[in-house]
Every structure is written in structure tokens, then in C-alpha cells.
Amino acid sequence: MKLAINGTTQGFEGDPRTSLLDFLRRDCGLTGTKKGCDHGQCGACTVLVNGQRINSCLTLAVMHEDDEITTIEGLGTPQDMHPLQAAFVDHDGYQCGYCTPGQICSAKAMLDEAQAGWPSAVTGDLTAEAELTPEEIRERMSGNLCRCGAYSNIVDAITQVKEDAR
Amino acid sequence: MRPFDYQRPDGLDHASLLDRDGATLIAGGTNLLDLMKLQVETPETLVDINRIGLDKIEPTGEGGIRIGALVSNSTCAADPRIRADWPLLSRAILAGASGQLRNKATTGGNLCQRTRCYYFMNIDMPCNKREPGTGCSALNGRNRIHAVLGANENCIATYPGDMAVAMYALDATVEIAGPDKASRSVRVRDFHRLPGERPELDNVLEAGEVITGVTLPAPVGGTQLYRKVRERSSYAFALVSIAAALRMEEGAISRASLAFGSMAHKPWHDLRIDAALTGAKPSDALFDHVADLLLEDAEGYGENDFKIPLARRTVKAVLREATGAST
Ligand SMILES: Cc1cc2nc3c(=O)[nH]c(=O)nc-3n(C[C@H](O)[C@H](O)[C@H](O)COP(=O)(O)OP(=O)(O)OC[C@H]3O[C@@H](n4cnc5c(N)ncnc54)[C@H](O)[C@@H]3O)c2cc1C
Ligand code: SF4
Ligand code: FES
Ligand code: FES
């Protein structure tokens, strides 16, 4: 079977037990996506599948025939950074950087979700359009833990990208 | 993870055919794969139902709405019809897990999610739910997150989810397809079980049955609140949660339906509570009476004793907010 990873078609013939995360890191050499907990609890493994953010540790590669996967390597390069990558650099949105690829992939999809009008647990009026306040950003990004505690700067970086996109 | 045979049917008939022979269904995989990594679940055949359809939200003839089993939690919570007319369901879903997990979690998988009991998830420990007859390690062990209602010495685990709690308050119906094209509907309030003598069974699904969807009756309006008390303010399971749908008319409660999460082996619904509230004027005495009804048979097992006073305070706070009472 085949799946598209960062725009390139990849074949998968491996053991069906292979998580999407292990397939990306081990078989595709895409080590930007990190393994933190391997149990859906930290968000370090966040990638985009058909544009939606998911935990790649809790899904099997074999379940993604013909899906389009985007990892941090597909969002930008050191020479041509994605606006979120640039904003994380500008705002020091990390210390050790281990959670960062997951944070950035998650933030990318989170901004798209907000754009599509999706509410969150802290949205006051479910029928009105939600304004992406820092409180909203924190709630929507709660699936990405940062052991270095760079949260304030992460929120600032995302806020800047949101403002710049206006 | 143990090796398994992977199958991906393209339709429901095919799925139940495969399922009948003791296979395990996988939808979002966010609970099942977690447990397979821990070897708590060791299916020989995994049937991936992600491409069998059942992924739509459609109105029913009776003014209700039908949510397909494979609709993701994110899609359901963001659906404009659900947000406007059954906001309790959106609220409960949004209170659970994370954005990433809700994108994968499905209606059917969420209903069937297994307990978060530490011993259930650790194959080195005795557990009647995982291995009937071996004993319950939680009874005299770490049981902070465990049940205070409807439990017995066989198992004190809770059903940990949020979505279903709202579905109990909204009196939803689970639609189930069986082998040989048989199908049945079960009120969600009768879908999950208490441990009784068979703690290994979480719900009433039989081998070969597939949840096809959940139907919500016509909107009930009023104030709809989901209050979730937990160790951190996001991305954590509930210690106690309450779903409330309540309507006021001329200073009295004209309709009420409450359900309680993370307190028992199933979301808790007590008709006496809804009846006590309906027609009554909000007062502190009434709210205490409701808490009494809820907790009359409550029993703590040590570390979880705190859930009993916590539930009392939480139900009173929810009722004050839902009725606008100043008491
Ligand atoms: C870190 C973490 C935090 C979480 N926090 C919360 C929380 O706060 N609140 C909350 O409610 N949940 C929480 N969850 C649980 C999450 O909601 C569930 O894992 C999810 O809803 C399960 O859905 P799924 O589609 O991924 O199910 P799967 O993992 O695919 O399946 C779960 C079970 O359901 C069965 N099943 C699936 N679909 C069907 C069907 N159509 N018919 C019959 N059987 C079926 C499967 O065979 C399996 O036994 C959390 C999970 C994680 C990992
Ligand atoms: S509470 Fe239930 S799930 Fe937990 S150890 Fe006891 S029997 Fe097992
Ligand atoms: S590695 Fe996937 S969520 Fe932690
Ligand atoms: S920067 Fe170190 S974990 Fe987030």
C-alpha cells in the first residue's frame, strides 16, 4: 500500500503493528516527529493527516492507505521556515526543543480549526464565533505538553502568527 | 504489541461478518492501540472499520439527530446543529481529551472506551475485569479515580468518558447492527453495565455486533451545563462530572435531566433526581435533597472517599448555576 508523506509517495509493506510514528521515524528517516510517551499523553508525535492533527503514536501506518501525511519537515525548512517556525524562533517558544515539532504541527492545525469556526471547552457562546484569546490558545493546545515549561512563549508565538495572518 | 491479522472491510455487512469470529474492531484506535501496546488487549484479528461509512450526522424524522458511529468527536462537537440544539453534547465532548485525540476518537469508540483503572492497564496485577477470577487490586489499593456508586468487591472501576454522560442526560439511543443483518436499538442508559458478577463486561454489546450510530431525541432547550472536576484544567479525565439539562418556567424547574460521570462503572442516571427537580422551586434544601438521593448508597474505598463530598458540592453548584438560584 501507499501513502503520501510531505508530498512524496511512500510504500508501506511492514508489520501491521507499526505505528505511524515509528514508520515516519524509522522507515522514512523523518526524525523531526518525536516520541515522548507513545500513549497519546504528550503530543510530541503530532502530525497532520489530511490536514487534521493527530497523535501518530496511537494510529497504525497500515490504516493510512492513500492518506496525506504532513510532518514538521513538510511544513518548512531551515532556509524557508513556516511562519509558525519563525515565530517560535522569535519568541523563544522552546528550551530543549523536544516538544517543538509537535507543538508547531498542532498549532498549524489548531489555527485552521479556529478558522473553520470550531469551538473549544472555554468558548463562552457555542453559537458565536470564537476569538482566539490566549485562554483559547492554551485550551486548544493542551494536548501538547512542554516539560521545559515554555508555554507562555508558545502562546505568544502562536498569537503573533494569528495576528500577522489578519 | 502482539502480532495480529489486519483486515479492512469496505461495508458494514462485511465488518460484522469478520467481527463475529472473535475479531476486534478498531475505529480511532486511541484507546485500543494504547491497550494493545500494554498487552491488555491482544486481538488476533483487527478489523479496521474506518472505511465502512457511518460517518454522517443526519436529522431524524422526529426532530432528533443521528450521529454515525464513525463521526469523529471533533466533527460532532463542532457541528452547528449539535452546538445550537444539543449544546450539552458539544460541551461534554470538548471537555475531554485533546484536540488531536478528538480528531481520531469516534462516537462508537468513545462509548466503548475502557476504564482507566491502573491495575486494569497493568498486566502484572490481578484484575477481575481483565482476567476474571483473579481478584480486584484496586479494592485495597490505589483507588483515587474509582467508583463510589454501584460498585462491588468484584470491581470498583469507573467508566471514565465524558461524551456518554451528556448522552445519558439527553436520553440518547444507541443503534447496533448484528451479524446476519439483525439490528437493535438500546437506550444509552441501558448500554453500559454495572460490574455485578461479570466485571469483564463493560456494556451490552454481543460478539459480532457493531455500533452504527447514536440518536438524540428532539432538542429539550433550557440551560445545558457540563461541569467536569479534574486534577488539571484541561487534558485530564474527570474525577466527577455532571451533565445537566434544565429548563425554568415562572421561577420553577419545568424539566430536568442530570447524569453523573466517573462515579460508577457507567454514567449514573437516577430518575428520582429528575423527578424531584421537576416542578420544584430552586432552593438549597432541594439541592441538598438531590445530593442525598444521588449519594444515599455511596461508598468510598479509601483514596476515593473525597469523591462523595466532592459530588455533593458539585451537584449543588451545577444546580445553582443552571437555575440561576442565588442560594
Ligand atoms: C491521553 C488520553 C486522554 C484522554 N482523555 C479523555 C477525557 O478526558 N475524556 C474522555 O471522555 N475520553 C478521554 N480519552 C479517551 C478517548 O476519548 C477514547 O480513547 C476515544 O473516545 C476512543 O474512541 P476511538 O474511536 O479511538 O476507539 P478505539 O480505540 O478505536 O476503540 C475503543 C473500543 O471501542 C470498540 N469500538 C470502536 N468502534 C466501535 C463500533 N462502532 N462498534 C462496536 N465497538 C466499537 C473497539 O473495539 C474498542 O474496544 C483520552 C484518551 C487518551 C489517550
Ligand atoms: S477496579 Fe475493576 S478494573 Fe480495576 S483492578 Fe479492580 S477489577 Fe480490575
Ligand atoms: S508520543 Fe504520541 S502523544 Fe506522546
Ligand atoms: S521545549 Fe523542552 S519540552 Fe518543550
Side-chain angles (χ1 to χ4, degrees):
Chain A
M1 62 152 258
K2 294 192 195 60
L3 56 174
I5 299 176
N6 298 330
T8 308
T9 305
Q10 288 273 352
F12 174 77
E13 304 296 337
D15 188 320
R17 287 177 290 179
T18 312
S19 68
L20 178 61
L21 173 60
D22 287 345
F23 175 62
L24 291 169
R25 288 182 55 84
R26 192 188 58 204
D27 302 335
C28 305
L30 294 169
T31 52
T33 309
K34 299 295 187 251
K35 184 184 284 190
C37 63
D38 214 21
H39 286 278
Q41 298 174 0
C42 75
C45 66
T46 305
V47 301
L48 311 181
V49 173
N50 304 328
Q52 290 206 332
R53 53 178 171 163
I54 68 160
N55 301 114
S56 60
C57 68
L58 284 189
T59 193
L60 300 171
V62 70
M63 295 170 75
H64 292 284
E65 183 163 12
D66 298 331
D67 280 348
E68 287 180 23
I69 319 289
T70 306
T71 68
I72 189 71
E73 291 91 343
L75 277 186
T77 62
Q79 292 71 38
D80 182 18
M81 286 196 283
H82 185 276
L84 277 162
Q85 290 171 317
F88 268 64
V89 173
D90 284 349
H91 289 271
D92 263 337
Y94 45 75
Q95 279 184 36
C96 75
Y98 198 79
C99 71
T100 314
Q103 299 278 1
I104 290 178
C105 286
S106 185
K108 159 84 177 81
M110 183 278 286
L111 290 170
D112 294 343
E113 290 167 6
Q115 190 73 42
W118 289 15
S120 86
V122 299
T123 306
D125 180 353
L126 281 183
T127 55
E129 208 161 296
E131 161 86 21
L132 265 194
T133 59
E135 189 199 8
E136 280 277 1
I137 292 174
R138 282 176 188 273
E139 165 58 28
R140 289 166 192 256
M141 292 295 293
S142 73
N144 292 85
L145 305 189
C146 173
R147 296 209 58 182
C148 300
Y151 296 112
S152 314
N153 294 355
I154 292 171
V155 173
D156 289 348
I158 295 173
T159 302
Q160 188 203 312
V161 173
K162 177 205 78 171
E163 299 286 328
D164 291 351
R166 277 173 190 233
Chain B
M1 202 184 288
R2 297 281 180 77
F4 53 82
D5 180 32
Y6 173 80
Q7 306 268 359
R8 194 171 62 214
D10 50 16
L12 182 60
D13 293 345
H14 188 195
S16 46
L17 205 68
L18 292 165
D19 185 28
R20 180 165 46 186
D21 305 321
T24 300
L25 304 176
I26 184 164
T30 60
N31 188 219
L32 185 62
L33 288 170
D34 198 356
L35 294 173
M36 284 170 65
K37 289 182 185 195
L38 298 168
Q39 297 193 14
V40 171
E41 304 261 18
T42 52
E44 280 175 16
T45 304
L46 206 57
V47 177
D48 177 355
I49 54 174
N50 283 287
R51 302 193 188 190
I52 65 170
L54 304 177
D55 55 355
K56 302 216 159 37
I57 303 180
E58 295 159 323
T60 64
E62 294 86 47
I65 202 155
R66 184 175 183 287
I67 305 154
L70 273 305
V71 171
S72 76
N73 281 180
S74 295
T75 302
C76 182
D79 187 274
R81 294 161 292 184
I82 306 274
R83 279 152 71 181
D85 292 335
W86 296 272
L88 184 55
L89 182 59
S90 287
R91 290 274 177 219
I93 291 174
L94 293 170
S98 66
Q100 289 94 317
L101 288 161
R102 292 192 297 270
N103 279 342
K104 282 259 96 187
T106 62
T107 315
N110 195 322
L111 277 178
C112 297
Q113 68 175 290
R114 310 220 56 194
T115 185
R116 309 302 288 195
C117 171
Y118 328 111
Y119 305 103
F120 173 73
M121 296 176 81
N122 179 349
I123 58 167
D124 296 326
M125 299 300 290
C127 167
N128 284 329
K129 184 178 278 300
R130 182 168 27 76
E131 253 182 278
T134 55
C136 170
S137 299
L139 202 55
N140 298 304
R142 311 309 302 260
N143 52 35
R144 183 173 170 76
I145 60 173
H146 287 71
V148 293
L149 294 173
N152 63 24
E153 68 287 354
N154 294 328
C155 178
I156 59 170
T158 58
Y159 170 83
D162 295 296
M163 179 194 83
V165 185
M167 288 178 173
Y168 273 58
L170 295 170
D171 198 11
T173 300
V174 184
E175 285 166 13
I176 300 167
D180 308 318
K181 298 194 193 310
S183 66
R184 63 179 177 134
S185 307
V186 177
R187 271 174 99 178
V188 73
R189 291 171 185 172
D190 300 322
F191 179 75
H192 300 96
R193 299 176 66 257
L194 289 177
E197 297 303 313
R198 302 289 304 277
E200 71 277 17
L201 301 177
D202 293 350
N203 56 51
V204 301
L205 278 185
E206 309 266 354
E209 289 191 321
V210 183
I211 298 174
T212 55
V214 171
T215 305
L216 302 180
V220 292
T223 301
Q224 302 194 0
L225 299 177
Y226 189 72
R227 177 79 64 99
K228 179 172 177 180
V229 185
R230 46 183 158 174
E231 307 277 10
R232 58 182 183 203
S233 58
S234 187
Y235 199 19
F237 283 94
L239 292 166
V240 164
S241 73
I242 301 182
L246 196 143
R247 211 167 49 218
M248 298 291 292
E249 266 166 59
E250 293 167 13
I253 301 164
S254 60
R255 189 188 179 288
S257 184
L258 265 58
F260 303 83
S262 295
M263 294 188 64
H265 200 256
K266 59 183 292 183
W268 198 258
H269 175 260
D270 186 338
L271 274 174
R272 294 176 308 160
I273 291 178
D274 296 353
L277 287 165
T278 306
K281 285 209 158 49
S283 72
D284 219 33
L286 175 69
F287 302 162
D288 263 316
H289 175 55
V290 164
D292 290 343
L293 288 173
L294 173 68
L295 298 165
E296 65 184 5
D297 293 323
E299 194 182 344
Y301 296 90
E303 285 185 354
N304 69 346
D305 291 348
F306 77 97
K307 281 193 177 186
I308 298 170
L310 177 63
R312 173 174 295 274
R313 289 196 300 275
T314 310
V315 72
K316 290 178 70 177
V318 164
L319 287 172
R320 276 197 290 268
E321 184 178 344
T323 57
S326 53
T327 49

